[in-house]
Amino acid sequence: MRHNKKFNHLSRKKGHREALLKNLSIALIAHKRIFTTVAKAKALRVFAEPLITRAKKDDMQNRRIVFSYLQNKEAIKELFGPISEKVADRPGGYLRIIKTGHRLGDNAEMCMIEFVDFNENMLEAAAPKKAKTTRRSRSKKATAPAAAETPAAEVKAEEAPAEEKAE
């Protein structure tokens, strides 16, 4: 039976599993994107997202708690510095897992895990989508003022050259 076994043990003992997750977290914080297996990435997301949430509030207690998990000063500086600034307004979901296929040697399912706010390509692709269209037709009230302003602007543009010719 598997009562109360709610997380993936990754075929490792407790100490080895904690060391693995700690090292993956440090690598993720340092490089902002790492390639690993899907099972490790899912376990890493569960491990790292609470630490990132703690980093949003920069005080000594949160630094000590996160340091007790990671034990790496450079990773703590990076996490409480640029990373916490970028994720400050995000309510959760700091990491993204993108599947990349299977590994050649053992056919393990591989993926890329990265910070959502640090992928410039996806941020640029999402930015032009601000213009939102609707499937409903516009009411005549909404289109009438815009149509009324256009001829007035054209009339002013036509008057301006006539005044220049008169002088």
Side-chain angles (χ1 to χ4, degrees):
M1 289 185 275
R2 54 176 311 273
H3 295 285
N4 294 327
K5 295 184 180 181
K6 299 199 185 255
F7 61 94
N8 191 346
H9 295 279
L10 300 172
S11 300
R12 289 164 171 82
K13 300 279 179 146
K14 182 179 188 291
H16 189 186
R17 186 173 55 249
E18 287 177 355
L20 171 76
L21 293 174
K22 178 180 80 164
N23 289 329
L24 284 173
S25 299
I26 292 168
L28 179 66
I29 290 167
H31 301 291
K32 311 296 184 279
R33 174 186 303 157
I34 58 173
F35 291 89
T36 184
T37 62
V38 173
K40 287 179 189 175
K42 287 180 179 179
L44 175 62
R45 183 172 52 189
V46 172
F47 181 81
E49 287 206 353
L51 300 180
I52 299 166
T53 303
R54 287 239 181 231
K56 288 166 61 171
K57 184 179 178 198
D58 188 7
D59 60 353
M60 187 57 68
Q61 181 64 21
N62 284 336
R63 281 183 178 262
R64 285 180 175 165
I65 290 171
V66 173
F67 186 79
S68 72
Y69 283 92
L70 298 182
Q71 293 151 358
N72 187 311
K73 289 182 183 178
E74 289 77 25
I76 299 297
K77 288 178 190 173
E78 185 74 18
L79 184 61
F80 280 87
I83 294 174
S84 66
E85 292 169 7
K86 284 228 181 175
V87 301
D89 58 341
R90 185 175 288 278
Y94 314 109
L95 301 175
R96 173 189 299 134
I97 296 175
I98 300 172
K99 294 181 181 178
T100 58
H102 295 278
R103 190 161 49 198
L104 200 57
D106 59 353
N107 205 28
E109 194 172 7
M110 299 297 289
C111 70
M112 172 181 66
I113 183 167
E114 66 180 359
F115 281 97
V116 172
D117 295 317
F118 281 89
N119 190 342
E120 291 81 18
N121 297 333
M122 287 197 158
L123 291 175
E124 290 172 7
K129 291 184 179 179
K130 297 285 182 179
K132 190 174 181 181
T133 59
T134 180
R135 296 205 288 179
R136 295 183 180 175
S137 63
R138 299 282 180 185
S139 66
K140 293 182 181 179
K141 291 180 182 178
T143 58
E149 293 174 10
T150 308
E154 291 174 3
V155 171
K156 290 180 184 177
E158 291 173 4
E159 291 176 13
E163 292 175 8
E164 292 175 9
K165 290 179 184 176
E167 293 177 3

